[in-house]
Amino acid sequence: MVQSLSALARSKGIARSRSEGEAGAKGVYATVEELVALEAAARDFTFLRKAPVRRLLAGRHESRMRGRGLSFEELREYLPGDDIRTIDWRVTARTGKPFVRVYDEEKDRPALILVDQRINMFFGSRRALKSVAAAEAAALCAWRVMNLGDRVGGFVFNDTDIDELRPHRSRDAVIALASAIVRRNCELTAASTVPRTPAQLDRVLSTASGVARHDHLVIVISDFDGHGPATRDMLLALSAHNDVISILIYDPFLLELPQSGEIVASGGALQAELPFAKGGVRAGITAFARDRGKELRSWQQELGLPMLPVSAAEEVAPQLRKLLGQLASRGRRR
C-alpha cells in the first residue's frame, strides 16, 4: 500500500482530472506547442565532460575509436599495424624514429529517449505534475541532441502500451516524439481505472535493449515506480555499449508533508486515508520516500549510472542544465 503513494495519491489541489480543467492547462497536461517552444531553452545546455567521450547529449560525439577524423589527439611512436598514412614525416625526420598522428574519430550516436507516462506519473503538488515534467525533460533532451546533428527517437510508455519512434535526424522527428508524449499524457486522468503496471518499466528497458545494441545515447525519464534488481541489471547492461542517463522525476510533497490534512492512497482495489496530523504517519511516509530516493541515486556511485533527480515542482530546464553540467565536470565511471 505504501508503495502506491507516489502513484495514485489524491488530495485537494494536488492532481486534477481533465474534467476539472481543460486539457493542456499548464502543469496538468502538456501540449505539443509547449514542448516545441523548449527548443530555445535547450540550446545553452553545457555537456562538456572528460575524455574519451567529451560531450553528453551531443551529436557527432568523439568516440574511443581511433581514426582519421578532424580532432587531433597526440603524437606517438609508430606501432606495427598503424596506417602508414598517419606517419608524421617531419617528426620522424627530426627524431630518427617513426611517429604517427593519432586522432579521435567523430561518429554518429542515435539517441533513444524513454518517457514514462504511466498513472503513477499523474501526481504533483505544485507547478506541474510529474507526467508533464517528464514530457518537458524529454523535449529538452531531444532538441539538444537534434540541434547537434544526431538522430532522435524513443519509446513513450504508459501502463498498457509502448510506442516506438525510430531515430531520425530532423525537426519532424522531435515533433513526432513530442506528439506521442502529449497523446499519452492527455490520456491520464485522476479517475482512471487502468491498473498500475510496475513491470512496464522493465518491459520498455528490455525493448530498448533490442534496439540500442551499441553506440546509442539512452535517456530514461521516469519516477522509476516498479524498479528492482532487474531494472538495475538492464540499465547496467545497456551502459556496457551505450551512454545511459537516468532522469529521476520526483515531487517533493512526500518529503515535505504538511502538519494537517490527509491523503488518500490507492493500490487499485483498496484505498487508505493517511492523516498527516499523526506524527508516525508523516515519519513513515517521509522515510519511505527518502529511502527510495537514496536507493536509486546509489546506482550512480555503485554502478556509474548517472541518476539525475529533477523536481516537478521547479522549472525543468534550469535543473537539467545544472545537473548535466555537474555530471560533465566530473565525468563518470564506466
Side-chain angles (χ1 to χ4, degrees), residues 43-186:
R43 286 175 180 156
D44 63 347
F45 282 13
T46 299
F47 301 112
L48 294 177
R49 53 172 284 185
K50 294 180 181 179
V53 182
R54 295 182 178 83
R55 288 180 293 170
L56 285 171
L57 298 188
R60 309 300 177 192
H61 76 299
E62 293 171 292
S63 76
R64 299 182 179 212
M65 296 175 61
R66 293 291 191 267
R68 301 184 68 217
L70 299 177
S71 179
F72 172 73
E73 181 175 305
E74 63 178 350
L75 280 168
R76 63 164 173 78
E77 289 192 38
Y78 175 87
L79 296 174
D82 283 340
D83 190 335
I84 62 172
R85 292 175 296 180
T86 63
I87 293 177
D88 188 309
W89 296 108
R90 291 185 178 179
V91 175
T92 298
R94 286 201 307 269
T95 62
K97 297 179 180 179
F99 272 77
V100 296
R101 299 177 68 87
V102 179
Y103 297 85
D104 276 333
E105 182 181 37
E106 294 185 340
K107 62 182 295 188
D108 178 70
R109 177 176 62 173
L112 290 178
I113 303 175
L114 283 53
V115 191
D116 191 347
Q117 291 293 305
R118 293 176 294 168
I119 190 63
N120 48 280
M121 300 291 288
F122 197 68
F123 178 86
S125 58
R126 54 187 184 270
R127 195 196 77 86
L129 304 189
K130 292 190 294 182
S131 52
V132 173
E136 294 170 345
L140 287 163
C141 292
W143 283 123
R144 176 60 174 167
V145 170
M146 193 281 296
N147 283 329
L148 286 163
D150 266 340
R151 291 178 287 149
V152 180
F155 295 88
V156 182
F157 63 103
N158 59 17
D159 288 280
T160 58
D161 300 295
I162 300 174
D163 300 327
E164 179 180 359
L165 294 95
R166 291 286 181 175
H168 294 283
R169 188 180 296 111
S170 68
R171 289 179 57 83
D172 288 344
V174 179
I175 294 172
L177 178 63
S179 298
I181 295 170
V182 168
R183 182 171 64 253
R184 294 303 183 186
N185 179 259
C186 288

Side-chain angles (χ1 to χ4, degrees), residues 295-331:
E295 178 188 359
L296 289 168
R297 290 194 297 274
S298 71
W299 292 358
Q300 179 162 305
Q301 286 74 35
E302 295 173 6
L303 306 174
L305 297 174
M307 180 66 67
L308 311 182
V310 170
S311 171
E314 302 174 26
E315 292 293 333
V316 172
Q319 294 182 80
L320 272 183
R321 187 178 299 113
K322 178 180 179 180
L323 290 167
L324 284 165
Q326 292 172 346
L327 178 64
S329 67
R330 66 173 178 265

Side-chain angles (χ1 to χ4, degrees), residues 187-233:
E187 292 173 355
L188 293 170
T189 170
S192 174
T193 58
V194 176
R196 289 175 58 241
T197 313
Q200 190 78 328
L201 175 61
D202 287 349
R203 290 192 191 113
V204 76
L205 285 173
S206 178
T207 303
S209 297
V211 177
R213 298 190 181 278
H214 60 82
D215 297 325
H216 279 65
L217 170 63
V218 181
I219 305 171
V220 186
I221 304 174
S222 174
D223 67 354
F224 287 82
D225 180 66
H227 78 280
T231 312
R232 189 181 73 167
D233 291 346

